[in-house]
Structure formats: structure tokens, C-alpha cells
Coordinates of all heavy atoms in Angstrom, one line a residue:
M1 N 20.2 9.2 -23.2 CA 20.8 10.5 -23.1 C 20.6 11.3 -24.3 O 20.7 10.8 -25.4 CB 22.3 10.3 -22.8 CG 23.1 11.6 -22.6 SD 24.8 11.3 -22.1 CE 24.6 10.9 -20.4
V2 N 20.2 12.5 -24.2 CA 19.9 13.4 -25.3 C 20.7 14.7 -25.2 O 20.8 15.3 -24.1 CB 18.3 13.7 -25.3 CG1 18.0 14.7 -26.4 CG2 17.5 12.5 -25.4
F3 N 21.2 15.1 -26.3 CA 22.0 16.3 -26.4 C 21.3 17.2 -27.5 O 20.9 16.7 -28.5 CB 23.4 16.1 -26.9 CG 24.2 15.2 -26.0 CD1 24.3 13.8 -26.3 CD2 24.8 15.6 -24.9 CE1 25.0 13.0 -25.5 CE2 25.6 14.8 -24.1 CZ 25.6 13.4 -24.4
L4 N 21.3 18.5 -27.3 CA 20.9 19.5 -28.3 C 22.2 20.1 -28.7 O 22.8 20.8 -27.8 CB 19.9 20.5 -27.8 CG 19.4 21.5 -28.9 CD1 18.8 20.7 -30.1 CD2 18.4 22.4 -28.3
L5 N 22.6 19.9 -29.9 CA 23.9 20.4 -30.3 C 23.7 21.5 -31.3 O 23.0 21.4 -32.2 CB 24.7 19.2 -31.0 CG 26.0 19.5 -31.5 CD1 27.0 19.8 -30.4 CD2 26.5 18.3 -32.4
R6 N 24.4 22.6 -31.1 CA 24.4 23.7 -32.1 C 25.7 23.7 -32.8 O 26.8 23.8 -32.3 CB 24.3 25.1 -31.3 CG 24.2 26.2 -32.3 CD 23.0 27.1 -31.9 NE 23.0 28.3 -32.7 CZ 22.2 28.5 -33.7 NH1 21.4 27.5 -34.0 NH2 22.2 29.6 -34.4
V7 N 25.6 23.5 -34.2 CA 26.7 23.3 -35.0 C 26.9 24.6 -35.8 O 26.0 25.1 -36.5 CB 26.5 22.1 -36.0 CG1 27.7 22.0 -36.9 CG2 26.3 20.8 -35.2
V8 N 28.1 25.2 -35.7 CA 28.4 26.4 -36.5 C 29.6 26.0 -37.4 O 30.6 25.6 -36.9 CB 28.8 27.5 -35.5 CG1 29.2 28.8 -36.3 CG2 27.6 27.8 -34.6
Q9 N 29.4 26.3 -38.6 CA 30.5 26.1 -39.6 C 30.7 27.3 -40.4 O 29.9 27.8 -41.1 CB 30.1 24.9 -40.5 CG 31.2 24.4 -41.4 CD 30.7 23.2 -42.2 OE1 29.6 23.0 -42.5 NE2 31.7 22.4 -42.6
G10 N 31.9 27.9 -40.3 CA 32.1 29.2 -40.9 C 31.5 30.3 -40.0 O 31.1 30.1 -38.9
S11 N 31.2 31.4 -40.6 CA 30.6 32.5 -39.9 C 29.1 32.6 -40.0 O 28.4 33.2 -39.3 CB 31.2 33.9 -40.2 OG 31.0 34.1 -41.6
E12 N 28.5 31.9 -41.1 CA 27.1 32.1 -41.4 C 26.2 30.8 -41.1 O 25.1 30.9 -40.8 CB 26.9 32.5 -42.8 CG 27.6 33.9 -43.1 CD 27.4 34.3 -44.5 OE1 26.6 33.7 -45.2 OE2 28.2 35.2 -44.9
D13 N 26.8 29.6 -41.3 CA 26.0 28.4 -41.2 C 25.9 28.0 -39.8 O 26.9 27.9 -39.0 CB 26.7 27.2 -42.0 CG 26.8 27.5 -43.4 OD1 25.9 28.2 -44.0 OD2 27.7 26.9 -44.1
A14 N 24.7 27.8 -39.3 CA 24.4 27.3 -38.0 C 23.2 26.4 -38.0 O 22.2 26.7 -38.8 CB 24.3 28.4 -37.0
A15 N 23.1 25.4 -37.2 CA 22.0 24.6 -37.2 C 22.0 23.9 -35.8 O 23.0 23.7 -35.2 CB 22.0 23.5 -38.3
S16 N 20.8 23.5 -35.4 CA 20.7 22.7 -34.1 C 20.3 21.3 -34.5 O 19.5 21.1 -35.4 CB 19.6 23.3 -33.2 OG 19.9 24.6 -32.8
V17 N 21.0 20.4 -33.9 CA 20.8 19.0 -34.2 C 20.5 18.3 -32.9 O 21.3 18.4 -31.9 CB 22.0 18.4 -34.9 CG1 21.8 16.9 -35.2 CG2 22.4 19.1 -36.2
L18 N 19.5 17.5 -32.8 CA 19.2 16.7 -31.7 C 19.9 15.4 -31.8 O 19.8 14.7 -32.8 CB 17.7 16.4 -31.6 CG 17.2 15.7 -30.3 CD1 17.4 16.5 -29.1 CD2 15.7 15.4 -30.5
V19 N 20.7 15.1 -30.8 CA 21.6 13.9 -30.8 C 21.1 13.0 -29.6 O 21.1 13.4 -28.5 CB 23.1 14.3 -30.6 CG1 23.9 13.0 -30.6 CG2 23.5 15.2 -31.7
R20 N 20.7 11.8 -30.0 CA 20.3 10.8 -29.0 C 21.4 9.7 -29.0 O 21.6 9.0 -30.0 CB 19.0 10.2 -29.3 CG 17.8 11.2 -29.2 CD 16.5 10.5 -29.6 NE 15.5 11.4 -29.8 CZ 14.7 11.9 -28.9 NH1 14.8 11.5 -27.6 NH2 13.7 12.7 -29.2
L21 N 22.0 9.5 -27.8 CA 23.0 8.5 -27.7 C 22.8 7.7 -26.4 O 22.4 8.3 -25.3 CB 24.4 9.1 -27.5 CG 25.1 9.6 -28.8 CD1 26.5 10.2 -28.4 CD2 25.3 8.5 -29.8
A22 N 22.9 6.4 -26.4 CA 22.9 5.7 -25.2 C 24.1 5.9 -24.4 O 25.2 6.2 -25.0 CB 22.8 4.2 -25.5
R23 N 24.0 6.0 -23.1 CA 25.2 6.3 -22.3 C 26.3 5.3 -22.6 O 27.5 5.7 -22.7 CB 24.8 6.2 -20.8 CG 25.9 6.6 -19.9 CD 25.5 6.7 -18.5 NE 24.5 7.6 -18.2 CZ 24.7 8.9 -18.0 NH1 25.9 9.4 -18.0 NH2 23.7 9.8 -17.7
S24 N 26.0 4.1 -22.9 CA 27.0 3.1 -23.2 C 27.7 3.3 -24.5 O 28.8 2.8 -24.8 CB 26.4 1.7 -23.2 OG 25.4 1.6 -24.2
D25 N 27.1 4.2 -25.4 CA 27.8 4.5 -26.7 C 28.7 5.7 -26.6 O 29.4 6.0 -27.6 CB 26.7 4.8 -27.8 CG 26.0 3.6 -28.2 OD1 26.5 2.5 -28.0 OD2 24.9 3.7 -28.8
L26 N 28.7 6.4 -25.5 CA 29.6 7.6 -25.4 C 31.1 7.3 -25.6 O 31.8 8.1 -26.2 CB 29.4 8.3 -24.1 CG 28.1 9.0 -23.9 CD1 27.9 9.6 -22.5 CD2 27.9 10.1 -24.9
I27 N 31.5 6.1 -25.2 CA 32.9 5.8 -25.4 C 33.3 5.6 -26.8 O 34.5 5.7 -27.2 CB 33.3 4.5 -24.6 CG1 32.5 3.3 -25.0 CG2 33.1 4.8 -23.1 CD1 33.0 2.0 -24.4
Y28 N 32.3 5.5 -27.7 CA 32.6 5.3 -29.1 C 32.3 6.6 -29.9 O 32.3 6.6 -31.2 CB 31.7 4.2 -29.7 CG 31.8 2.9 -29.0 CD1 30.8 2.4 -28.2 CD2 33.0 2.1 -29.1 CE1 30.8 1.2 -27.6 CE2 33.1 0.9 -28.4 CZ 32.0 0.5 -27.7 OH 32.1 -0.7 -27.0
S29 N 32.1 7.7 -29.3 CA 31.6 8.9 -30.0 C 32.6 10.0 -30.1 O 32.3 11.1 -30.6 CB 30.4 9.4 -29.3 OG 30.7 9.8 -28.0
D30 N 33.9 9.8 -29.8 CA 34.9 10.8 -29.9 C 35.1 11.3 -31.3 O 35.4 12.4 -31.6 CB 36.2 10.4 -29.3 CG 36.8 9.2 -29.9 OD1 36.1 8.4 -30.5 OD2 38.0 8.9 -29.6
W31 N 34.8 10.5 -32.3 CA 35.0 10.8 -33.7 C 34.0 11.9 -34.2 O 34.1 12.5 -35.2 CB 34.8 9.6 -34.6 CG 33.5 8.9 -34.4 CD1 33.3 7.9 -33.5 CD2 32.3 9.1 -35.1 NE1 32.0 7.5 -33.6 CE2 31.3 8.3 -34.6 CE3 31.9 10.0 -36.1 CZ2 30.0 8.2 -35.0 CZ3 30.6 10.0 -36.6 CH2 29.7 9.1 -36.0
M32 N 32.9 12.0 -33.4 CA 31.8 13.0 -33.8 C 32.3 14.4 -33.9 O 31.7 15.2 -34.6 CB 30.6 12.8 -32.9 CG 29.9 11.5 -33.1 SD 28.5 11.4 -31.9 CE 27.7 10.0 -32.5
G33 N 33.3 14.8 -33.2 CA 33.9 16.1 -33.3 C 34.4 16.5 -34.6 O 34.6 17.7 -34.9
T34 N 34.6 15.6 -35.5 CA 35.2 15.9 -36.8 C 34.1 16.0 -37.9 O 34.4 16.3 -39.0 CB 36.1 14.7 -37.3 OG1 35.4 13.5 -37.4 CG2 37.2 14.5 -36.3
L35 N 32.8 15.9 -37.5 CA 31.7 15.9 -38.5 C 31.5 17.3 -39.0 O 31.5 18.3 -38.2 CB 30.4 15.3 -37.9 CG 30.5 13.9 -37.6 CD1 29.2 13.4 -37.0 CD2 30.9 13.0 -38.7
S36 N 31.1 17.5 -40.3 CA 30.7 18.7 -40.9 C 29.2 19.0 -40.5 O 28.5 18.1 -40.0 CB 30.9 18.7 -42.4 OG 29.9 17.8 -43.0
L37 N 28.7 20.1 -40.9 CA 27.3 20.5 -40.6 C 26.4 19.5 -41.3 O 25.4 18.9 -40.7 CB 27.0 21.9 -41.1 CG 25.5 22.3 -40.9 CD1 25.1 22.3 -39.5 CD2 25.4 23.8 -41.4
A38 N 26.6 19.2 -42.6 CA 25.8 18.2 -43.3 C 25.9 16.9 -42.7 O 24.8 16.2 -42.6 CB 26.2 18.2 -44.8
E39 N 27.0 16.5 -42.3 CA 27.2 15.1 -41.6 C 26.4 15.1 -40.3 O 25.8 14.1 -40.0 CB 28.7 14.8 -41.5 CG 29.4 14.5 -42.8 CD 30.9 14.5 -42.6 OE1 31.4 15.2 -41.7 OE2 31.5 13.9 -43.5
W40 N 26.5 16.2 -39.5 CA 25.7 16.2 -38.3 C 24.2 16.1 -38.5 O 23.5 15.5 -37.8 CB 26.0 17.5 -37.5 CG 27.1 17.4 -36.5 CD1 28.3 18.0 -36.6 CD2 27.2 16.5 -35.4 NE1 29.1 17.6 -35.5 CE2 28.4 16.7 -34.8 CE3 26.3 15.6 -34.8 CZ2 28.8 16.0 -33.6 CZ3 26.6 15.0 -33.6 CH2 27.9 15.2 -33.1
Q41 N 23.8 16.7 -39.6 CA 22.3 16.7 -39.8 C 21.9 15.3 -40.2 O 20.7 15.0 -40.1 CB 22.0 17.7 -40.9 CG 22.1 19.2 -40.4 CD 22.0 20.2 -41.5 OE1 22.3 20.0 -42.6 NE2 21.6 21.4 -41.1
N42 N 22.8 14.5 -40.6 CA 22.4 13.1 -41.0 C 23.2 12.0 -40.3 O 23.2 10.9 -40.7 CB 22.7 12.9 -42.5 CG 21.8 13.8 -43.4 OD1 20.6 13.6 -43.4 ND2 22.5 14.8 -44.0
W43 N 23.8 12.4 -39.2 CA 24.7 11.5 -38.4 C 23.9 10.2 -38.0 O 24.5 9.2 -37.9 CB 25.3 12.2 -37.2 CG 24.4 12.2 -36.0 CD1 23.5 13.1 -35.7 CD2 24.3 11.2 -35.0 NE1 22.9 12.8 -34.6 CE2 23.4 11.6 -34.1 CE3 25.0 10.0 -34.8 CZ2 23.0 10.8 -33.0 CZ3 24.7 9.2 -33.7 CH2 23.7 9.7 -32.8
N44 N 22.7 10.3 -37.6 CA 21.9 9.2 -37.0 C 21.3 8.3 -38.1 O 20.4 7.5 -37.7 CB 20.9 9.7 -36.0 CG 19.9 10.6 -36.7 OD1 20.1 11.2 -37.7 ND2 18.7 10.7 -36.0
R45 N 21.6 8.5 -39.3 CA 21.1 7.6 -40.4 C 22.1 6.8 -41.1 O 22.1 6.8 -42.3 CB 20.3 8.5 -41.4 CG 19.0 9.0 -40.8 CD 18.3 9.8 -41.8 NE 18.9 11.1 -41.8 CZ 18.2 12.2 -41.9 NH1 16.9 12.2 -42.0 NH2 18.8 13.4 -41.9
P46 N 23.0 6.2 -40.4 CA 24.1 5.5 -41.1 C 23.6 4.2 -41.7 O 22.7 3.6 -41.2 CB 25.1 5.2 -40.0 CG 24.3 5.1 -38.7 CD 23.2 6.1 -38.9
R47 N 24.2 3.9 -42.8 CA 23.9 2.7 -43.5 C 25.2 2.1 -44.0 O 26.0 2.9 -44.6 CB 23.0 2.9 -44.6 CG 22.7 1.6 -45.4 CD 21.8 1.7 -46.5 NE 21.9 0.6 -47.3 CZ 21.2 0.4 -48.4 NH1 20.3 1.2 -48.7 NH2 21.3 -0.7 -49.1
V48 N 25.6 1.0 -43.6 CA 26.8 0.4 -44.0 C 26.6 -0.8 -44.9 O 25.9 -1.8 -44.5 CB 27.6 -0.1 -42.7 CG1 28.9 -0.7 -43.1 CG2 27.8 1.0 -41.7
D49 N 27.0 -0.7 -46.1 CA 27.0 -1.8 -47.1 C 28.4 -2.3 -47.2 O 29.3 -1.6 -47.4 CB 26.5 -1.3 -48.5 CG 25.1 -0.7 -48.5 OD1 24.3 -1.3 -47.7 OD2 24.8 0.2 -49.2
I50 N 28.4 -3.6 -47.1 CA 29.8 -4.3 -47.2 C 29.6 -5.5 -48.1 O 28.7 -6.3 -47.9 CB 30.3 -4.6 -45.8 CG1 31.7 -5.2 -46.0 CG2 29.4 -5.5 -45.1 CD1 32.5 -5.2 -44.6
G51 N 30.5 -5.6 -49.1 CA 30.6 -6.8 -49.9 C 31.7 -7.7 -49.4 O 32.9 -7.2 -49.2
I52 N 31.5 -9.0 -49.3 CA 32.5 -9.9 -48.8 C 32.7 -11.0 -49.8 O 31.8 -11.6 -50.3 CB 32.0 -10.5 -47.5 CG1 31.7 -9.4 -46.5 CG2 33.0 -11.5 -46.9 CD1 30.9 -9.9 -45.3
I53 N 34.0 -11.3 -50.1 CA 34.3 -12.4 -51.0 C 35.2 -13.3 -50.2 O 36.4 -13.1 -50.0 CB 35.1 -11.9 -52.3 CG1 34.3 -10.8 -53.0 CG2 35.5 -13.0 -53.2 CD1 35.0 -10.1 -54.1
P54 N 34.6 -14.4 -49.7 CA 35.3 -15.3 -48.7 C 36.4 -16.2 -49.3 O 37.4 -16.5 -48.7 CB 34.2 -16.1 -48.1 CG 33.1 -16.1 -49.1 CD 33.2 -14.8 -49.9
N55 N 36.2 -16.6 -50.6 CA 37.3 -17.4 -51.3 C 37.8 -18.6 -50.4 O 39.0 -18.6 -50.2 CB 38.3 -16.5 -51.8 CG 39.2 -17.2 -52.8 OD1 38.8 -18.1 -53.4 ND2 40.4 -16.7 -52.9
N56 N 37.0 -19.4 -49.9 CA 37.4 -20.6 -49.2 C 38.2 -20.3 -47.9 O 39.2 -21.0 -47.7 CB 38.2 -21.6 -50.1 CG 37.3 -22.2 -51.2 OD1 36.1 -22.4 -50.9 ND2 37.8 -22.5 -52.3
R57 N 37.9 -19.3 -47.2 CA 38.5 -19.0 -45.9 C 37.5 -18.9 -44.8 O 37.2 -17.8 -44.4 CB 39.3 -17.7 -46.1 CG 40.5 -17.8 -47.1 CD 41.1 -16.5 -47.2 NE 40.2 -15.6 -47.8 CZ 40.5 -14.5 -48.5 NH1 41.8 -14.2 -48.6 NH2 39.6 -13.7 -49.0
P58 N 36.9 -20.0 -44.4 CA 35.8 -19.9 -43.5 C 36.2 -19.3 -42.1 O 35.4 -18.6 -41.5 CB 35.3 -21.4 -43.3 CG 36.4 -22.2 -43.8 CD 37.2 -21.4 -44.8
Q59 N 37.4 -19.5 -41.7 CA 37.8 -19.0 -40.4 C 37.9 -17.4 -40.5 O 37.5 -16.7 -39.5 CB 39.2 -19.5 -39.9 CG 39.2 -21.0 -39.7 CD 39.4 -21.8 -40.9 OE1 39.6 -21.3 -42.0 NE2 39.3 -23.2 -40.8
S60 N 38.4 -16.9 -41.6 CA 38.5 -15.5 -41.7 C 37.1 -14.9 -41.9 O 36.8 -13.8 -41.3 CB 39.3 -15.1 -43.0 OG 40.6 -15.6 -42.9
L61 N 36.2 -15.6 -42.6 CA 34.8 -15.1 -42.7 C 34.2 -15.1 -41.3 O 33.5 -14.1 -41.0 CB 34.1 -16.0 -43.7 CG 32.6 -15.6 -43.8 CD1 32.4 -14.2 -44.3 CD2 31.9 -16.6 -44.8
R62 N 34.4 -16.1 -40.5 CA 33.8 -16.2 -39.2 C 34.2 -15.0 -38.3 O 33.5 -14.4 -37.6 CB 34.1 -17.5 -38.5 CG 33.4 -17.7 -37.2 CD 33.7 -19.1 -36.6 NE 33.0 -20.1 -37.3 CZ 33.5 -21.1 -38.0 NH1 34.9 -21.2 -38.1 NH2 32.8 -22.0 -38.7
R63 N 35.5 -14.7 -38.4 CA 36.1 -13.6 -37.6 C 35.5 -12.3 -38.1 O 35.2 -11.4 -37.3 CB 37.6 -13.6 -37.8 CG 38.4 -14.0 -36.6 CD 39.9 -13.7 -36.7 NE 40.5 -13.4 -38.0 CZ 41.0 -14.4 -38.8 NH1 41.1 -15.6 -38.4 NH2 41.6 -14.0 -39.9
L64 N 35.4 -12.1 -39.4 CA 34.9 -10.9 -39.9 C 33.4 -10.7 -39.5 O 33.0 -9.6 -39.0 CB 35.0 -10.8 -41.4 CG 34.3 -9.7 -42.1 CD1 34.9 -8.3 -41.7 CD2 34.3 -9.8 -43.6
L65 N 32.6 -11.7 -39.6 CA 31.2 -11.6 -39.3 C 31.0 -11.4 -37.8 O 30.1 -10.6 -37.4 CB 30.5 -12.9 -39.7 CG 30.3 -13.2 -41.2 CD1 29.7 -14.5 -41.5 CD2 29.6 -12.0 -41.9
R66 N 31.9 -12.0 -36.9 CA 31.8 -11.7 -35.5 C 32.2 -10.2 -35.2 O 31.5 -9.6 -34.4 CB 32.8 -12.6 -34.8 CG 32.6 -12.6 -33.3 CD 33.5 -13.6 -32.5 NE 33.3 -15.0 -33.0 CZ 34.3 -15.8 -33.5 NH1 35.5 -15.4 -33.5 NH2 34.0 -17.0 -33.9
S67 N 33.2 -9.7 -35.9 CA 33.5 -8.3 -35.7 C 32.4 -7.4 -36.1 O 32.1 -6.4 -35.5 CB 34.8 -8.0 -36.5 OG 35.9 -8.7 -36.0
L68 N 31.8 -7.7 -37.3 CA 30.7 -6.8 -37.7 C 29.5 -6.9 -36.8 O 28.9 -5.9 -36.5 CB 30.2 -7.3 -39.1 CG 31.2 -7.1 -40.3 CD1 30.7 -7.7 -41.5 CD2 31.5 -5.6 -40.5
E69 N 29.3 -8.1 -36.2 CA 28.2 -8.2 -35.3 C 28.4 -7.5 -34.0 O 27.5 -6.9 -33.4 CB 28.0 -9.7 -34.9 CG 26.9 -10.0 -34.0 CD 26.9 -11.5 -33.7 OE1 26.6 -12.3 -34.7 OE2 27.0 -12.0 -32.6
N70 N 29.7 -7.4 -33.6 CA 30.0 -6.7 -32.3 C 30.3 -5.2 -32.4 O 30.5 -4.5 -31.5 CB 31.2 -7.3 -31.7 CG 30.9 -8.7 -31.2 OD1 29.8 -9.0 -30.8 ND2 31.9 -9.6 -31.3
A71 N 30.3 -4.7 -33.7 CA 30.5 -3.3 -33.9 C 29.4 -2.4 -33.5 O 28.2 -2.9 -33.4 CB 30.9 -3.0 -35.4
C72 N 29.7 -1.1 -33.2 CA 28.6 -0.2 -32.8 C 28.2 0.6 -34.0 O 29.0 1.3 -34.7 CB 29.2 0.8 -31.7 SG 28.1 2.0 -31.1
Y73 N 26.9 0.6 -34.3 CA 26.4 1.3 -35.5 C 25.4 2.5 -35.1 O 24.8 3.0 -36.0 CB 25.6 0.3 -36.4 CG 26.5 -0.8 -36.9 CD1 26.5 -2.0 -36.3 CD2 27.4 -0.5 -37.9 CE1 27.3 -3.0 -36.8 CE2 28.3 -1.5 -38.4 CZ 28.2 -2.8 -37.8 OH 29.1 -3.7 -38.3
F74 N 25.3 2.8 -33.9 CA 24.5 3.9 -33.4 C 23.1 3.9 -34.0 O 22.6 4.8 -34.7 CB 25.2 5.3 -33.7 CG 26.4 5.5 -33.0 CD1 27.6 5.3 -33.6 CD2 26.4 5.9 -31.7 CE1 28.8 5.5 -32.9 CE2 27.6 6.2 -31.0 CZ 28.8 5.9 -31.6
D75 N 22.5 2.7 -33.9 CA 21.1 2.5 -34.5 C 21.1 2.5 -36.0 O 20.0 2.6 -36.6 CB 20.1 3.5 -34.0 CG 19.9 3.4 -32.5 OD1 20.0 2.2 -32.0 OD2 19.6 4.4 -31.8
G76 N 22.2 2.4 -36.7 CA 22.3 2.4 -38.1 C 22.0 0.9 -38.6 O 21.8 0.0 -37.8
T77 N 22.0 0.8 -39.9 CA 21.8 -0.6 -40.4 C 23.1 -1.1 -41.1 O 23.9 -0.3 -41.6 CB 20.7 -0.5 -41.4 OG1 21.0 0.3 -42.5 CG2 19.4 -0.1 -40.8
L78 N 23.2 -2.4 -41.1 CA 24.3 -3.0 -41.7 C 23.8 -4.0 -42.7 O 22.8 -4.8 -42.4 CB 25.2 -3.8 -40.7 CG 26.3 -4.7 -41.3 CD1 27.4 -3.8 -41.9 CD2 26.9 -5.5 -40.2
D79 N 24.3 -4.0 -44.0 CA 23.8 -4.8 -45.0 C 24.9 -5.6 -45.6 O 25.4 -5.2 -46.7 CB 23.0 -4.0 -46.1 CG 22.4 -4.9 -47.1 OD1 22.1 -6.1 -46.9 OD2 22.0 -4.3 -48.2
P80 N 25.4 -6.7 -45.0 CA 26.5 -7.4 -45.5 C 26.0 -8.3 -46.7 O 24.9 -8.9 -46.6 CB 27.0 -8.3 -44.3 CG 25.8 -8.4 -43.5 CD 25.0 -7.2 -43.7
R81 N 26.8 -8.4 -47.7 CA 26.5 -9.3 -48.8 C 27.7 -10.2 -49.1 O 28.8 -9.7 -49.2 CB 26.2 -8.5 -50.1 CG 24.9 -7.6 -49.9 CD 24.8 -6.6 -50.9 NE 23.9 -5.6 -50.4 CZ 22.8 -5.2 -51.1 NH1 22.6 -5.7 -52.3 NH2 22.0 -4.3 -50.6
I82 N 27.5 -11.4 -49.2 CA 28.6 -12.4 -49.4 C 28.5 -12.8 -50.9 O 27.5 -13.3 -51.3 CB 28.5 -13.5 -48.5 CG1 28.7 -13.0 -47.0 CG2 29.6 -14.6 -48.8 CD1 28.6 -14.1 -46.0
H83 N 29.6 -12.6 -51.6 CA 29.7 -13.0 -53.0 C 30.6 -14.2 -53.1 O 31.7 -14.1 -52.7 CB 30.2 -11.8 -53.9 CG 29.5 -10.5 -53.7 ND1 28.3 -10.3 -54.4 CD2 29.8 -9.5 -52.9 CE1 27.9 -9.1 -54.0 NE2 28.7 -8.6 -53.1
M84 N 30.0 -15.3 -53.6 CA 30.7 -16.6 -53.6 C 30.8 -17.1 -55.0 O 29.8 -17.0 -55.8 CB 30.1 -17.6 -52.7 CG 30.1 -17.2 -51.2 SD 29.3 -18.4 -50.2 CE 27.6 -18.3 -50.7
E85 N 31.9 -17.8 -55.3 CA 32.0 -18.6 -56.5 C 31.4 -19.9 -56.3 O 31.2 -20.3 -55.1 CB 33.4 -18.7 -56.9 CG 34.1 -17.3 -57.1 CD 35.1 -17.3 -58.2 OE1 35.3 -18.4 -58.8 OE2 35.7 -16.3 -58.4
D86 N 31.1 -20.6 -57.3 CA 30.4 -22.0 -57.2 C 31.4 -22.9 -56.5 O 30.9 -23.9 -55.8 CB 30.1 -22.5 -58.6 CG 29.0 -21.8 -59.3 OD1 28.2 -21.1 -58.5 OD2 28.9 -21.8 -60.5
S87 N 32.6 -22.7 -56.5 CA 33.6 -23.7 -55.9 C 33.9 -23.4 -54.5 O 34.7 -24.1 -53.9 CB 34.9 -23.6 -56.7 OG 35.5 -22.3 -56.6
V88 N 33.1 -22.5 -53.8 CA 33.4 -22.2 -52.4 C 33.1 -23.4 -51.5 O 32.2 -24.3 -51.9 CB 32.6 -21.0 -52.0 CG1 31.1 -21.3 -51.8 CG2 33.2 -20.4 -50.7
D89 N 33.8 -23.5 -50.4 CA 33.6 -24.7 -49.5 C 32.3 -24.7 -48.8 O 31.6 -23.7 -48.7 CB 34.8 -24.8 -48.5 CG 34.7 -23.6 -47.6 OD1 35.3 -22.5 -48.0 OD2 34.2 -23.7 -46.5
T90 N 31.9 -25.9 -48.3 CA 30.6 -26.1 -47.7 C 30.4 -25.3 -46.4 O 29.3 -24.7 -46.2 CB 30.4 -27.6 -47.4 OG1 30.6 -28.4 -48.5 CG2 29.0 -27.9 -46.8
I91 N 31.4 -25.1 -45.6 CA 31.3 -24.4 -44.4 C 31.0 -22.9 -44.7 O 30.1 -22.3 -44.0 CB 32.6 -24.5 -43.5 CG1 32.8 -26.0 -43.1 CG2 32.6 -23.6 -42.3 CD1 34.2 -26.2 -42.5
T92 N 31.7 -22.4 -45.7 CA 31.5 -21.0 -46.0 C 30.0 -20.8 -46.6 O 29.3 -19.8 -46.2 CB 32.5 -20.5 -47.1 OG1 33.8 -20.7 -46.6 CG2 32.3 -19.1 -47.5
K93 N 29.5 -21.7 -47.4 CA 28.2 -21.7 -47.9 C 27.2 -21.7 -46.7 O 26.2 -21.0 -46.7 CB 27.9 -22.9 -48.8 CG 28.5 -22.7 -50.2 CD 28.2 -23.9 -51.0 CE 28.9 -23.9 -52.4 NZ 28.6 -25.0 -53.2
Q94 N 27.4 -22.5 -45.7 CA 26.5 -22.6 -44.5 C 26.5 -21.3 -43.8 O 25.5 -20.8 -43.4 CB 26.9 -23.8 -43.6 CG 26.7 -25.1 -44.2 CD 27.2 -26.2 -43.3 OE1 28.1 -26.0 -42.5 NE2 26.8 -27.4 -43.6
M95 N 27.7 -20.7 -43.6 CA 27.7 -19.4 -42.8 C 27.0 -18.3 -43.6 O 26.3 -17.5 -43.1 CB 29.2 -19.0 -42.6 CG 29.8 -19.8 -41.5 SD 31.4 -19.1 -40.9 CE 32.4 -19.4 -42.3
A96 N 27.2 -18.3 -44.9 CA 26.5 -17.3 -45.8 C 25.0 -17.5 -45.7 O 24.2 -16.6 -45.6 CB 27.0 -17.4 -47.2
G97 N 24.6 -18.8 -45.7 CA 23.1 -19.1 -45.6 C 22.5 -18.7 -44.3 O 21.3 -18.3 -44.2
N98 N 23.3 -18.7 -43.2 CA 22.8 -18.3 -41.9 C 22.9 -16.8 -41.6 O 22.4 -16.3 -40.6 CB 23.6 -19.0 -40.8 CG 23.4 -20.5 -40.8 OD1 22.3 -21.0 -41.3 ND2 24.4 -21.3 -40.4
L99 N 23.4 -16.0 -42.6 CA 23.6 -14.6 -42.4 C 22.3 -13.9 -42.2 O 22.2 -13.0 -41.4 CB 24.5 -14.0 -43.5 CG 24.9 -12.6 -43.3 CD1 25.7 -12.4 -42.1 CD2 25.7 -12.2 -44.5
H100 N 21.3 -14.1 -43.1 CA 20.1 -13.4 -43.1 C 19.0 -14.2 -42.5 O 18.7 -15.2 -42.5 CB 19.7 -12.9 -44.5 CG 20.7 -11.8 -45.0 ND1 20.6 -10.5 -44.6 CD2 21.7 -11.9 -45.8 CE1 21.5 -9.9 -45.2 NE2 22.2 -10.7 -45.9

């Protein structure tokens, strides 16, 4: 599904932005009405960097990784990084090793 959106901000700024969304992503797009002109011009280039410190909680890490995997990024990229101390448990180390 493709939209041509004309964004007007104030009385002078106006721009046309081509928006490509999969029909299945429409239910996740209600937040787009709050974007500024600059955000609209770059809306389709999201990059999410997230740092994770698991601290011997493999169940919590598993839940977080599953949630991140199931999230909608509108063709953006996700770059999770897990920061661990040497004393972290074996299960957490294995999950971190399987991440990339």
C-alpha cells in the first residue's frame, strides 16, 4: 500500500512524502499523526539501538528478546547489544551468542 502524504507545518512549510506501508502494518501506524515535517521526511529510516545488561536473569532476557523479535519496525533495523560481566550465567551467555 502506498500513500502520497502532503505535510504542512505552520503556514509556509510543506512537503510531499511517499509513505509505503504494508496493509498489515496499518494497525500499528496511528502514532504517525504526531510526526513533525522533519520526522515525516525520515520516518522510514528508523534505527533502534538498544543496550541490554542481563545480570544473571536468563528468563527476563528471553522475554525481552522475544518481544524485540515480535515488534514492528516498519522496515527499520534493530541493533541489540548485550553487555555482560564475566560472572554471567551460562544460559545467558548462550542466548547472547545466538543473537547475531
Side-chain angles (χ1 to χ4, degrees):
M1 181 172 281
V2 178
F3 302 96
L4 181 59
L5 178 70
R6 182 129 174 103
V7 180
V8 178
Q9 188 175 24
S11 60
E12 298 178 17
D13 295 337
S16 295
V17 179
L18 186 64
V19 178
R20 295 179 192 272
L21 283 178
R23 186 174 297 276
S24 60
D25 287 341
L26 287 177
I27 61 173
Y28 305 111
S29 64
D30 57 344
W31 58 271
M32 291 179 167
T34 65
L35 297 179
S36 68
L37 177 59
E39 291 166 332
W40 267 114
Q41 290 170 331
N42 295 294
W43 83 272
N44 63 336
R45 290 181 277 224
R47 177 179 165 177
V48 180
D49 294 325
I50 183 167
I52 303 165
I53 303 172
N55 195 24
N56 292 329
R57 295 176 296 201
Q59 295 84 5
S60 296
L61 178 60
R62 183 175 290 116
R63 251 189 346 265
L64 173 62
L65 293 176
R66 190 175 305 125
S67 293
L68 292 172
E69 180 180 300
N70 292 329
C72 180
Y73 299 101
F74 296 99
D75 295 329
T77 60
L78 175 66
D79 187 18
R81 297 164 197 235
I82 298 179
H83 305 278
M84 297 180 290
E85 302 214 2
D86 292 336
S87 61
V88 75
D89 62 278
T90 305
I91 296 171
T92 301
K93 286 181 184 178
Q94 289 173 342
M95 283 192 292
N98 294 333
L99 187 59
H100 290 283

